[in-house]
C-alpha cells in the first residue's frame, strides 16, 4: 500500500515548453536524464545538468551526459556539493525554468527542499526514483539524520537508540521518521528486516 | 464566574486530578456503545452552560498548571513551536481570535482594550499586563502565535490554504497524542494524516478536506477525538516517547483507576479573516478511570467501547498493552444495563 | 441558512464609475463594523426583486479602514437575467440588501516571491483588492489592466494613484494588448500570476503562461461565471417530495430555493463545490458549466452543481 505522506515519483518527463531545464541527477538517475533528452538536441542545448556519480551507481555516466551536449554539465564529487551547486544555479534562475531530480530518494528530497527554498512549488518538480531503496531517516528523539537505512529497526547513528522506521515521510526534512522501538520492552528487539535495499 | 485554578502537575509526581464539577463537564466522546471513525464534524456553536462548549475557547480549573507545563516543554524543546515566514498574518489573526474570545467570556480573568492598533492585554491568572501594537511583532516579547498560545489551553496549528489543499505551516504543539510538529510542519492535509489507519480507506479525509476548504468565517466547526494515556501526562510527544513509553508497562489491576486516563481532544477549526488561513485547535482533556466511573452511564459505555475496539485501532492508539487489564477493571462497573443515547450524564 | 451567515446591509453610496459600471458602498444595517477579509474574497448579494430573490456573487473591492463599508463593482451585462440590471436600475442609496460572509476562492499564494496581477474589464475588482494587500505587506507585484477604452477603465485612475508605475494600462481601442510573453520574461522563481476577466482573456493569459514554461501551480484565475440561461425544464426533489419548473432566466439552484427547499451553496459561480448534488435520474442531457467537477464526473451523469448547471431535456430528479 502506498504511504500517504510519501511523495510519488512519477518519472522524469521533458517539459517541452520550459525555457530552461535545470537537472539534478545522482548515480543511476543519470539514466533517466539520458532517456528524456535522447534525440532532443534543442532541449539539451538549454539544459544545465548537475550530476554526482554517487553511491548508488556502479558506473560513472558523466561521459554519456556530456554527449547530450547540454548547455552546461557540472560533475560533482558528492550529494552535498551537487546541492551547493544547484543552489547557486537556482539563485539565478527565472520562471520558465523547470527543475528535474533523479536518483535515490534522499537526493530527490534534498533537491525538492532546495527548490522550495527558492520559491519552486514541489508539485512542479519532475522526479524519478532510481537506484537503491535505502531511506534517509530522522531520529524523532535527537533529530539526527541517518543516511542509507536499509533495515528496520536500526541504531540511530547519533544517539544510539534502536529505531523503528515509521511509514511517514517529511518533504521538508527529506526523511522518514525513526521512533524508538524497545522502550516498552527494554532490551527486547523485533527481528531486523531488510526492507529498503 | 471566577474559576479556582488548581495547583497541580502533569509530570514527575502527577498531582493532576479533576474536581467533581470538572468531571461532570468532561467532554465524553461516545454517544453510542461502540466506536468507529466518522467525519463527526459539527458547528462549533455555543453549547450548554458550564460545558466545555459553552464558549469558543474553554478555560478551566487546569489553566494555570497547563500553562506552566507548556513553558517547561518549550524550555526543553523549542522546536515545539514553529512558524514558516508566510504565516505571520495568520499569527496575528490568531492573537485577535484568542484575546477577543478569552476577554469576552472570562472578563474577571482577562481584559482586552483596543484603541485602533494599540492594544492592552491583561491576563490576571498569569500576572501579565502587556501593551502592544497589533501587527507589529517588535512590540511583543515573542512572536505573536507563541505569545498568545503560551496563555491559552490547547495546541494550535495554523493551516495555509493553497492549491486546493491545507498546509500545516505553523503551530505550537506541547500536549499532543504522539505526533511531531517538527516532522509534520509543511505537510498537506493528506500527508500529516498519513499514519492514521483505516480512515483513509473510508474516504474520511477526502470528505473532511473538501468540507474544510469551504469553511466560512463566522462558522467554526468542532469534532471530538480520543485516545488513552498512562498517567496524566500532557506531553506525550514522539520526541519524548523513549521516556514515557515505559509507563504503558506499569498498569496493574490495582492501579488502573488512578493511572489509566481517557484523553479527549476537542478539536475546533476557524477560518481566519486577514490570512484566509484556518486555525486548528486541539484541546486535550484528561480523566482518570476512577473519576470516569463516578458517572455510571460513562462507566458502562466506555467498558463496551474499549472491549469491542478493532485491534488495529487499539494498536494505533497505543492501548494494546494495557487494554485487557483496563477492560477487566471497568467490567466491575458495567452491569449490562442499557445506556441512554447521547454524550451527557443521565 | 445554507449559504452561511447573512449580514443585512444598506447601500450608503452609488458611483457611476463608467457608462456600464456602478460601484456600491454597503454598510451593515446594525451599524457594526463589517468583517475583515483577505484579498480575492467575494460576497453573495441577495436582492429582493418584487417576484423573487436574486443572489449574485461580487468580489469585494475594499473595506473602509474603520470597517463601516464594503465596496463592490457591478457591470451591467446585456444578457443579465436580472441581477446586474436590478443593481443598476433598482438599487439606490438607502436600499437594503443582504450579503454573506466573505469567502475567498481566489487567494494570494502567500509562499510566492512576486505576484503578477492581470485584469480585464470588471475582472479588476478582486485584483484591486489584491494589489492593495500586496502594497500593505510591501511585497513585489505588477498589475496589468486591460479595458475597452479610456472611459471604460472603472478603476484605472484610482489604481495608478495608489500604485504608480506598478500599474500598466492597456486600451483595446488603441490596439494595446497584454503581451504575455513579454510580461512573463525573466520573472524570478516563485512568481505567481493571477488573472480575472472575460473567459477568452483568461484562457489566453493562462495559455501564454504555459507557453512561457510556467507550471500550473503558479497560474491562478477566477472566472466570472456569467449566468448560463437555457431552456426550461422540470426538477423533482426526491427527498423533499417537491416538483418545480426551472424557468429559462433562472438557475437550477434559484428554482430549488423558490420551491422552499434550503439547498447548500457558497459561491454561486460554479467554483467552490458546495452545491454538488447527486443526480438520481435525468430525462435529457446534463449541461455542466462548473469548474469544480472533473471531466469524468461530468461524463458520469451522477452529479450536478446546481448554481450554474442545468438540464437540456424534460425532467431532472435530484437527491435533495
Amino acid at each position: 500500500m502506498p504511504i500517504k505522506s510519501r511523495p510519488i515519483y512519477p518519472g522524469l518527463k521533458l517539459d517541452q515548453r520550459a525555457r530552461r531545464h535545470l537537472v539534478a541527477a545522482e548515480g543511476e538517475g543519470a539514466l533517466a536524464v539520458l532517456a528524456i533528452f535522447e534525440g532532443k538536441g534543442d532541449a539539451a542545448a538549454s539544459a544545465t545538468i548537475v550530476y554526482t556519480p554517487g553511491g548508488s551507481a556502479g558506473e560513472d555516466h558523466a561521459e554519456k551526459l556530456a554527449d547530450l551536449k547540454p548547455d552546461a554539465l557540472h560533475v560533482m564529487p558528492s550529494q552535498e556539493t551537487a546541492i551547493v551547486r544547484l543552489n547557486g544555479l537556482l539563485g539565478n534562475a527565472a520562471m520558465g525554468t523547470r527543475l528535474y531530480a533523479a536518483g535515490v530518494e534522499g537526493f530527490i528530497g534534498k533537491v525538492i527542499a532546495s527548490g522550495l527554498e527558492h520559491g519552486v512549488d514541489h508539485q512542479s518538480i519532475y522526479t524519478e526514483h532510481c537506484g537503491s531503496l535505502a531511506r534517509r531517516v530522522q531520529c524523532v528523539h535527537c533529530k539526527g539524520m541517518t543516511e542509507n537505512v536499509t533495515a528496520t529497526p536500526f541504531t540511530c547513528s547519533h544517539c544510539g537508540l534502536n529505531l523503528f522506521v515509521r511509514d511517514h515521510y517529511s518533504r521538508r526534512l527529506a526523511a522518514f521518521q525513526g521512533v524508538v522501538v524497545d522502550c516498552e520492552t527494554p532490551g527486547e528487539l523485533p527481528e531486523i528486516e531488510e526492507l529498503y535495499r | 464566574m471566577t474559576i479556582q485554578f488548581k495547583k497541580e502537575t502533569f509530570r514527575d509526581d502527577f498531582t493532576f486530578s479533576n474536581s467533581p464539577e470538572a468531571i461532570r463537564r468532561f467532554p465524553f466522546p461516545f454517544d453510542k456503545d461502540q466506536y468507529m471513525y466518522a467525519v463527526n464534524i459539527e458547528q462549533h456553536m455555543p453549547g450548554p452552560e458550564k460545558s466545555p462548549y459553552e464558549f469558543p475557547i474553554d478555560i478551566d480549573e487546569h489553566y494555570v498548571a497547563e500553562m506552566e507545563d507548556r513553558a517547561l516543554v518549550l524550555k526543553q524543546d523549542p522546536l515545539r513551536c514553529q512558524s514558516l515566514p508566510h504565516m505571520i498574518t495568520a499569527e496575528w489573526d490568531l492573537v485577535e481570535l484568542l484575546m477577543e474570545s478569552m476577554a469576552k467570556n472570562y472578563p474577571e480573568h482577562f481584559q482586552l482594550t483596543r484603541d485602533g492598533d494599540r492594544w492592552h492585554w491583561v491576563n490576571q491568572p498569569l500576572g501579565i499586563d502587556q501593551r502592544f501594537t497589533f501587527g507589529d511583532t517588535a512590540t511583543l516579547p515573542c512572536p505573536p502565535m507563541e505569545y498568545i498560545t503560551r496563555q491559552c489551553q490547547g495546541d494550535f496549528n495554523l493551516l495555509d490554504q493553497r492549491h486546493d489543499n491545507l498546509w500545516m505551516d505553523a503551530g505550537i504543539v506541547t500536549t499532543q497524542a504522539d505526533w511531531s510538529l517538527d516532522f509534520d510542519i509543511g505537510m498537506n492535509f493528506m500527508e500529516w494524516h498519513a499514519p492514521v489507519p483505516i480512515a483513509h480507506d473510508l474516504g474520511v479525509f477526502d470528505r473532511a478536506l473538501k468540507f474544510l476548504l469551504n469553511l466560512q468565517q463566522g462558522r467554526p466547526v468542532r469534532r471530538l477525538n480520543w485516545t488513552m494515556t498512562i498517567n496524566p501526562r500532557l506531553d506525550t510527544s514522539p520526541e519524548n516517547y523513549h521516556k514515557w513509553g515505559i509507563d504503558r508497562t506499569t498498569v496493574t489491576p490495582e492501579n488502573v483507576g488512578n493511572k489509566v486516563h481517557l484523553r479527549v481532544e476537542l478539536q475546533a477549526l476557524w477560518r481566519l479573516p486577514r490570512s484566509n488561513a484556518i486555525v486548528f485547535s486541539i484541546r486535550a482533556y484528561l480523566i482518570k478511570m476512577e473519576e470516569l466511573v463516578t458517572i455510571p452511564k460513562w462507566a458502562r459505555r466506555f467498558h463496551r467501547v474499549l472491549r469491542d475496539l478493532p485491534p488495529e485501532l487499539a494498536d494505533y492508539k497505543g492501548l494494546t498493552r494495557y487494554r485487557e487489564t483496563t477492560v477487566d477493571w471497568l467490567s466491575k462497573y458495567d452491569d449490562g444495563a442499557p445506556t441512554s443515547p447521547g454524550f451527557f450524564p443521565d | 441558512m445554507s449559504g452561511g451567515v447573512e449580514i443585512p446591509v444598506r447601500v450608503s453610496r452609488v458611483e457611476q464609475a463608467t457608462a456600464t459600471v456602478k460601484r456600491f458602498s454597503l454598510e451593515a444595517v446594525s451599524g457594526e463594523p463589517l468583517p475583515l477579509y483577505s484579498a480575492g474574497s467575494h460576497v453573495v448579494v441577495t436582492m429582493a426583486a418584487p417576484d423573487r430573490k436574486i443572489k449574485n456573487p461580487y468580489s469585494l473591492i475594499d473595506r473602509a479602514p474603520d470597517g463601516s463599508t464594503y465596496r463592490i463593482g457591478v457591470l451591467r451585462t446585456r444578457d443579465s437575467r436580472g441581477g446586474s440590471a436590478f443593481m443598476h436600475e433598482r438599487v439606490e442609496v438607502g436600499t437594503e440588501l443582504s450579503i454573506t460572509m466573505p469567502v475567498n476562492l481566489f487567494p494570494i499564494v502567500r509562499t510566492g516571491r512576486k505576484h503578477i496581477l492581470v485584469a480585464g474589464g470588471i475582472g479588476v475588482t478582486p485584483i484591486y483588492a489584491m494589489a492593495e494587500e500586496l502594497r500593505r505587506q510591501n511585497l513585489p507585484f505588477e498589475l496589468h489592466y486591460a479595458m475597452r477604452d479610456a472611459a471604460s477603465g472603472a478603476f484605472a485612475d484610482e489604481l495608478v494613484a495608489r500604485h504608480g508605475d506598478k500599474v500598466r494600462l492597456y486600451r483595446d481601442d488603441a490596439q494595446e494588448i497584454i503581451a504575455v510573453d513579454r510580461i512573463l520574461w525573466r520573472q524570478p522563481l516563485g512568481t505567481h500570476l493571477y488573472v480575472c476577466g472575460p473567459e477568452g482573456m483568461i484562457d489566453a493569459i493562462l495559455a501564454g503562461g504555459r507557453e512561457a514554461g510556467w507550471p500550473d501551480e503558479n497560474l491562478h484565475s477566477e472566472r466570472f461565471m456569467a449566468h448560463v440561461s437555457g431552456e426550461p425544464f422540470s426538477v423533482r426533489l426526491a427527498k423533499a417530495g417537491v416538483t418545480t419548473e426551472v424557468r429559462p432566466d433562472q438557475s437550477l439552484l434559484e428554482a430549488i430555493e423558490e420551491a422552499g427547499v434550503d439547498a447548500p451553496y457558497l459561491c454561486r459561480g460554479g467554483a467552490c463545490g458546495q452545491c454538488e448534488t447527486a443526480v438520481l435520474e435525468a430525462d435529457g442531457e446534463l449541461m455542466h458549466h462548473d469548474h469544480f467537477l472533473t471531466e469524468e464526473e461530468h461524463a458520469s451523469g451522477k452529479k450536478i452543481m446546481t448554481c450554474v448547471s442545468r438540464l437540456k431535456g424534460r425532467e431532472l430528479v435530484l437527491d435533495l
Side-chain angles (χ1 to χ4, degrees):
Chain A
M1 206 174 74
I3 299 165
K4 303 281 179 190
S5 59
R6 187 181 204 170
I8 294 164
Y9 309 106
L12 294 195
K13 188 174 87 180
L14 186 66
D15 181 353
Q16 307 268 15
R17 289 187 286 208
R19 302 283 160 95
R20 305 280 316 165
H21 308 280
L22 186 47
V23 186
E26 180 274 348
E28 297 298 316
L31 298 174
V33 176
L34 290 167
I36 58 163
F37 286 103
E38 182 79 63
K40 301 269 171 29
D42 286 355
S46 58
T48 301
I49 302 175
V50 180
Y51 170 58
T52 178
S56 75
E59 204 185 331
D60 186 337
H61 300 287
E63 259 176 56
K64 276 181 261 166
L65 289 171
D67 289 345
L68 289 174
K69 301 209 179 354
D71 183 41
L73 170 64
H74 306 265
V75 180
M76 308 304 292
S78 64
Q79 288 192 25
E80 285 65 34
T81 51
I83 296 296
V84 170
R85 181 58 53 95
L86 179 69
N87 281 332
L89 294 164
L90 281 167
N92 290 317
M95 288 299 291
T97 302
R98 190 53 93 148
L99 183 56
Y100 304 78
V104 292
E105 188 163 31
F107 180 74
I108 297 175
K110 287 177 215 163
V111 173
I112 291 173
S114 291
L116 278 176
E117 256 169 58
H118 290 87
V120 182
D121 193 289
H122 70 92
Q123 295 165 103
S124 62
I125 301 172
Y126 289 115
T127 54
E128 183 157 336
H129 187 180
C130 307
S132 154
L133 294 175
R135 292 181 173 187
R136 185 166 188 253
V137 182
Q138 188 198 43
C139 171
V140 75
H141 311 291
C142 77
K143 308 288 182 188
M145 292 287 182
T146 302
E147 305 278 345
N148 291 315
V149 174
T150 57
T152 185
F154 73 101
T155 305
C156 174
S157 59
H158 302 265
C159 68
L161 286 174
N162 295 311
L163 303 180
F164 152 80
V165 184
R166 201 177 254 184
D167 278 345
H168 194 27
Y169 183 86
S170 161
R171 184 172 42 254
R172 191 181 63 93
L173 301 168
F176 283 85
Q177 189 174 53
V179 183
V180 70
V181 70
D182 56 345
C183 75
E184 297 183 31
T185 52
E188 246 178 77
L189 284 182
E191 213 167 302
I192 294 175
E193 290 178 90
E194 286 279 343
L195 288 175
Y196 322 121
R197 276 269 173 229
Chain B
M1 175 193 66
T2 308
I3 304 168
Q4 293 303 319
F5 299 110
K6 298 182 67 175
K7 189 141 185 55
E8 59 192 354
T9 58
F10 300 89
R11 56 181 68 214
D12 306 324
D13 57 351
F14 295 112
T15 60
F16 164 90
S17 68
N18 285 298
S19 68
E21 298 73 44
I23 294 173
R24 276 200 80 77
R25 77 194 294 278
F26 188 81
F28 187 72
F30 309 105
D31 61 345
K32 291 194 284 292
D33 287 354
Q34 69 273 339
Y35 171 77
M36 194 50 200
Y37 284 119
V39 186
N40 54 335
I41 301 177
E42 57 177 328
Q43 296 294 321
H44 189 31
M45 302 296 272
E49 212 176 298
K50 290 192 177 156
S51 77
Y53 320 110
E54 181 178 7
F55 303 123
I57 298 292
D58 181 42
I59 300 296
D60 67 13
E61 63 185 20
H62 308 297
Y63 173 71
V64 173
E66 283 190 27
M67 292 302 100
E68 284 168 359
D69 195 70
R70 165 159 293 165
L72 286 175
V73 174
L74 290 172
K75 199 177 283 274
Q76 287 162 8
D77 183 1
L79 296 177
R80 302 299 189 84
C81 178
Q82 295 189 51
S83 179
L84 300 180
H86 60 276
M87 299 307 284
I88 189 67
T89 306
E91 289 194 35
W92 283 109
D93 273 332
L94 182 65
V95 168
E96 180 181 54
L97 175 74
L98 297 187
M99 285 188 181
E100 284 285 358
S101 177
M102 289 163 77
K104 181 174 171 213
N105 298 312
Y106 303 94
E108 57 291 321
H109 299 300
F110 309 100
Q111 293 94 38
L112 177 67
T113 320
R114 293 170 63 160
D115 173 16
D117 288 344
R118 286 166 42 208
W119 291 31
H120 182 199
W121 168 247
V122 178
N123 177 335
Q124 288 174 343
L126 298 185
I128 292 169
D129 186 313
Q130 179 78 43
R131 289 172 199 276
F132 64 99
T133 305
F134 187 86
D136 181 355
T137 305
T139 59
L140 284 176
C142 63
M145 175 185 72
E146 180 181 344
Y147 179 77
I148 192 57
T149 56
R150 277 176 177 270
Q151 302 178 47
C152 189
Q153 285 170 280
D155 287 345
F156 290 86
N157 298 285
L158 296 173
L159 316 180
D160 191 32
Q161 182 161 339
R162 58 180 190 274
H163 307 316
D164 293 325
N165 214 323
L166 295 171
W167 304 81
M168 186 181 287
D169 286 344
I172 183 162
V173 178
T174 66
T175 65
Q176 70 275 53
D178 202 11
W179 69 278
S180 165
L181 172 76
D182 181 50
F183 195 78
D184 286 6
I185 191 169
M187 287 189 190
N188 69 35
F189 190 81
M190 292 302 165
E191 291 167 347
W192 85 69
H193 283 115
V196 185
I198 308 175
H200 282 280
D201 303 325
L202 297 176
V204 165
F205 295 123
D206 295 302
R207 271 174 303 183
L209 174 62
K210 212 164 174 176
F211 178 85
L212 291 175
L213 288 173
N214 281 335
L215 184 69
Q216 281 182 280
Q217 236 195 97
R219 280 199 132 188
V221 296
R222 67 171 173 246
R223 69 180 287 263
L224 293 176
N225 197 6
W226 69 279
T227 185
M228 294 175 75
T229 303
I230 303 309
N231 294 328
R233 188 189 294 277
L234 282 174
D235 176 28
T236 46
S237 59
E239 277 84 353
N240 287 333
Y241 171 57
H242 58 305
K243 297 176 189 157
W244 58 261
I246 191 81
D247 293 359
R248 288 176 175 165
T249 65
T250 61
V251 177
T252 63
E254 293 70 40
N255 66 16
V256 167
N258 185 46
K259 226 178 205 332
V260 178
H261 290 70
L262 173 62
R263 177 194 189 97
V264 173
E265 292 178 351
L266 171 53
Q267 307 180 344
L269 298 110
W270 287 261
R271 173 73 65 191
L272 294 172
R274 296 168 186 80
S275 58
N276 199 42
I278 286 177
V279 53
F280 176 27
S281 77
I282 307 169
R283 167 70 181 280
Y285 294 83
L286 293 168
I287 191 168
K288 292 174 197 300
M289 287 301 106
E290 65 192 20
E291 292 170 346
L292 184 99
V293 297
T294 61
I295 309 288
K297 169 178 166 181
W298 292 354
R300 291 186 185 105
R301 177 163 293 165
F302 189 53
H303 169 245
R304 296 166 199 180
V305 166
L306 194 59
R307 184 189 61 201
D308 303 336
L309 195 67
E312 59 268 57
L313 273 182
D315 259 350
Y316 170 65
K317 290 179 187 285
L319 326 176
T320 308
R321 205 174 289 283
Y322 55 86
R323 169 153 82 151
E324 207 182 307
T325 314
T326 309
V327 170
D328 286 348
W329 188 88
L330 283 168
S331 68
K332 293 180 291 187
Y333 300 89
D334 185 0
D335 55 8
T339 52
S340 62
F343 301 97
F344 294 102
D346 288 322
Chain C
M1 293 291 289
S2 304
V5 181
E6 295 267 333
I7 308 169
V9 293
R10 188 183 298 114
V11 174
S12 61
R13 188 165 176 227
V14 182
E15 302 163 77
Q16 187 80 44
T18 72
T20 53
V21 174
K22 278 186 174 178
R23 280 189 293 232
F24 299 87
S25 297
L26 312 173
E27 61 185 20
V29 171
S30 67
E32 298 274 307
L34 291 161
L36 285 155
Y37 65 88
S38 53
S41 295
H42 70 267
V43 295
V44 174
V45 177
T46 302
M47 299 157 243
D51 54 333
R52 64 203 170 108
K53 284 201 159 131
I54 307 171
K55 298 187 184 197
N56 275 9
Y58 295 107
S59 292
L60 292 170
I61 299 165
D62 58 13
R63 172 184 183 269
D66 62 0
S68 58
T69 53
Y70 283 159
R71 283 199 304 168
I72 58 171
V74 180
L75 171 71
R76 167 145 207 177
T77 51
R78 209 173 304 153
D79 58 350
S80 167
R81 79 224 134 87
S84 78
F86 186 90
M87 289 297 290
H88 273 257
E89 287 162 17
R90 312 291 285 269
V91 174
E92 51 196 29
V93 172
T95 303
E96 291 198 1
L97 303 162
S98 163
I99 59 173
T100 58
M101 281 295 245
V103 170
N104 198 344
L105 300 175
F106 193 36
I108 292 173
V109 176
R110 286 170 192 276
T111 50
R113 302 292 166 94
K114 182 179 173 182
H115 306 271
I116 297 186
L117 311 176
V118 181
I122 193 65
V124 73
T125 51
I127 296 293
Y128 185 101
M130 291 164 125
E132 198 56 33
E133 181 160 327
L134 292 166
R135 187 183 69 92
R136 217 171 25 235
Q137 298 195 10
N138 216 3
L139 293 170
F141 75 96
E142 298 171 12
L143 196 165
H144 302 266
Y145 176 20
M147 62 202 77
R148 195 170 307 139
D149 48 46
S152 309
F155 297 85
D157 294 346
E158 271 193 59
L159 284 170
V160 170
R162 296 193 75 77
H163 308 295
D165 59 8
K166 287 198 170 71
V167 180
R168 270 224 49 197
L169 305 175
Y170 304 81
R171 287 168 42 197
D172 294 351
D173 66 335
Q175 275 78 53
E176 294 167 341
I177 51 160
I178 299 182
V180 188
D181 53 346
R182 200 141 1 112
I183 294 173
L184 300 190
W185 179 247
R186 289 295 313 166
Q187 292 292 354
L189 277 186
T191 303
H192 285 257
L193 177 140
Y194 310 81
V195 54
C196 185
E199 196 87 12
M201 174 196 184
I202 291 177
D203 291 339
I205 298 283
L206 294 181
R210 289 191 202 100
E211 206 45 54
W214 284 43
D216 287 340
E217 288 77 23
N218 295 59
L219 300 169
H220 314 277
S221 62
E222 177 152 85
R223 292 167 193 272
F224 269 73
M225 200 53 225
H227 172 77
V228 186
S229 49
E231 293 160 28
F233 60 99
S234 155
V235 60
R236 180 154 63 84
L237 309 177
K239 281 190 203 143
V242 173
T243 301
T244 187
E245 290 299 308
V246 183
R247 297 189 304 266
D249 67 339
Q250 200 179 28
S251 74
L252 174 54
L253 177 58
E254 285 169 341
I256 294 168
E257 289 170 340
E258 207 172 273
V261 174
D262 194 20
Y265 73 87
L266 208 53
C267 76
R268 298 180 91 91
C272 75
Q274 191 79 356
C275 70
E276 178 183 314
T277 302
V279 173
L280 300 178
E281 283 169 50
D283 181 5
E285 189 191 348
L286 294 176
M287 307 300 283
H288 293 290
H289 300 293
D290 63 277
H291 302 289
F292 182 80
L293 297 175
T294 62
E295 274 179 43
E296 296 84 70
E297 285 172 318
H298 282 162
S300 78
K302 298 258 186 279
K303 292 173 179 178
I304 191 166
M305 312 298 294
T306 60
C307 67
V308 291
S309 301
R310 53 199 299 132
L311 182 81
K312 186 176 175 159
R314 200 186 59 82
E315 191 188 54
L316 180 65
V317 184
L318 297 179
D319 187 24
L320 271 177

